Amino acid sequence: MKKNKSVILSVPYILWMLVFTLIPLGVVGYYALTDPDTGAFTWSNMAQLGTYLPVFGRSIGYSVISAFLCLLLGYPVAYYIAHRGPVAQKLLYMLVMLPMCMSFLLRTLAWVGLLQDTGIINTLLESVGLARVSLIRTPGAVILGMVYNYLPYMILPLYAIIVKIDGRLIEAAEDLGCKPSQTFTKVVLPLSMPGIVSGVTMVFVPAVSTFYISQKLGGTEMLIGDVIERMFKQGNNANLGAALSLLLMLLVFVCTGIMNKLTDADGEDRVVV
């Protein structure tokens, strides 16, 4: 009886996955393996992927740097929030979530206003007698935009793990003579590793496929998301764009699988795809 009930309850989820995941993936696969003119089966789209390997490499490099910076910035913030009182935790948690309630486009455009040659930062530099600096249309600006937009995705899973760490373990380490640095490296850091892996995954996956940030804050160098977006939006070659999308999806699956291997087998500690 319970088994039949669970099957019935899973029907909406199965239908959702079928309509919004499997069918779209099938359409992308169809376009990736067919000729744009005749619609016949072909490997030509897949054969052209090697041309875009430098773009993939650039996208991966930017995403890895962004994830690393988010970890450096997000871990102290998550640790601080987790060790506040219940009221302070709720307030700080809300403040972390607050930027996510604003449009992603508006948040990115705000950085354009700050970094552009006639923007707020350069205007302030000029007002104190300093020369203008080129802040926008650089790799650093793209990485800055990624870090700003995806930092909450690092803080939230880290906070969720750190707040669950049993304080008695820290007390035991201190009673055994561990210094604060040793307590952190031998107790807190290993126990927070599932949150680190989840946070890195949640930052890396959207960063590697982003396109709007690089268009507004970057220069002439495109990321793989820009290439795919232009092939579909501008009608250059939707079939090749679909092939690139499949390769990007495979990359995300491989990275997520590696991240899963780095965590424990326990279901709560694993990264959910």
Side-chain angles (χ1 to χ4, degrees):
M1 185 69 179
K2 291 183 178 180
K3 184 177 181 180
N4 294 333
K5 186 177 180 180
S6 62
V7 171
I8 294 174
L9 292 176
S10 65
V11 169
Y13 173 75
I14 294 174
L15 292 176
W16 178 275
M17 291 293 294
L18 177 64
V19 175
F20 295 104
T21 303
L22 297 181
I23 293 179
L25 284 178
V27 173
V28 172
Y30 169 79
Y31 276 97
L33 298 175
T34 55
D35 184 86
D37 297 322
T38 64
F41 174 82
T42 180
W43 288 104
S44 61
N45 298 318
M46 307 300 293
Q48 298 179 55
L49 296 181
T51 308
Y52 298 93
L53 289 182
V55 183
F56 271 103
R58 188 183 306 120
S59 301
I60 294 172
Y62 284 15
S63 302
V64 169
I65 295 173
S66 300
F68 178 72
L69 292 177
C70 283
L71 178 60
L72 289 182
L73 296 173
Y75 197 101
V77 175
Y79 188 88
Y80 178 81
I81 296 175
H83 290 82
R84 299 304 98 194
V87 177
Q89 282 189 29
K90 293 179 180 179
L91 176 61
L92 294 172
Y93 190 90
M94 182 191 68
L95 292 177
V96 172
M97 292 283 293
L98 193 58
M100 301 173 66
C101 299
M102 187 185 301
S103 170
F104 177 87
L105 304 181
L106 291 178
R107 282 182 279 147
T108 304
L109 288 175
W111 276 107
V112 174
L114 287 169
L115 300 178
Q116 62 185 352
D117 297 335
T118 57
I120 297 175
I121 295 178
N122 275 313
T123 300
L124 291 176
L125 291 176
E126 280 191 325
S127 65
V128 296
L130 298 176
R132 292 183 179 183
V133 293
S134 179
L135 300 174
I136 204 169
R137 296 182 296 277
T138 62
V142 177
I143 294 173
L144 175 62
M146 290 181 178
V147 171
Y148 172 75
N149 280 291
Y150 301 131
L151 183 59
Y153 299 125
M154 178 66 73
I155 296 176
L156 299 182
L158 281 172
Y159 162 77
I161 292 296
I162 295 174
V163 77
K164 295 179 182 178
I165 296 177
D166 194 339
R168 292 174 296 181
L169 297 175
I170 299 176
E171 293 176 0
E174 293 173 346
D175 292 340
L176 292 173
C178 287
K179 299 178 181 179
S181 59
Q182 293 176 317
T183 301
F184 176 77
T185 56
K186 295 183 178 181
V187 179
V188 178
L189 188 61
L191 291 176
S192 59
M193 190 57 65
I196 293 175
V197 174
S198 297
V200 169
T201 304
M202 293 178 67
V203 171
F204 176 83
V205 170
V208 77
S209 59
T210 189
F211 60 91
Y212 189 78
I213 295 175
S214 53
Q215 290 178 8
K216 293 301 179 181
L217 300 178
T220 57
E221 292 184 341
M222 294 189 300
L223 301 183
I224 192 60
D226 299 313
V227 177
I228 295 174
E229 188 260 352
R230 290 185 181 183
M231 286 186 176
F232 279 99
K233 189 175 181 180
Q234 297 181 6
N236 293 338
N237 194 337
N239 297 72
L240 181 56
L244 290 170
S245 300
L246 284 181
L247 181 58
L248 180 61
M249 181 181 63
L250 178 62
L251 171 66
V252 170
F253 283 165
V254 170
C255 293
T256 305
I258 294 174
M259 293 297 180
N260 279 331
K261 291 296 183 181
L262 295 177
T263 56
D264 296 330
D266 181 71
E268 184 178 349
D269 291 341
R270 290 183 63 83
V271 178
V272 179
V273 180

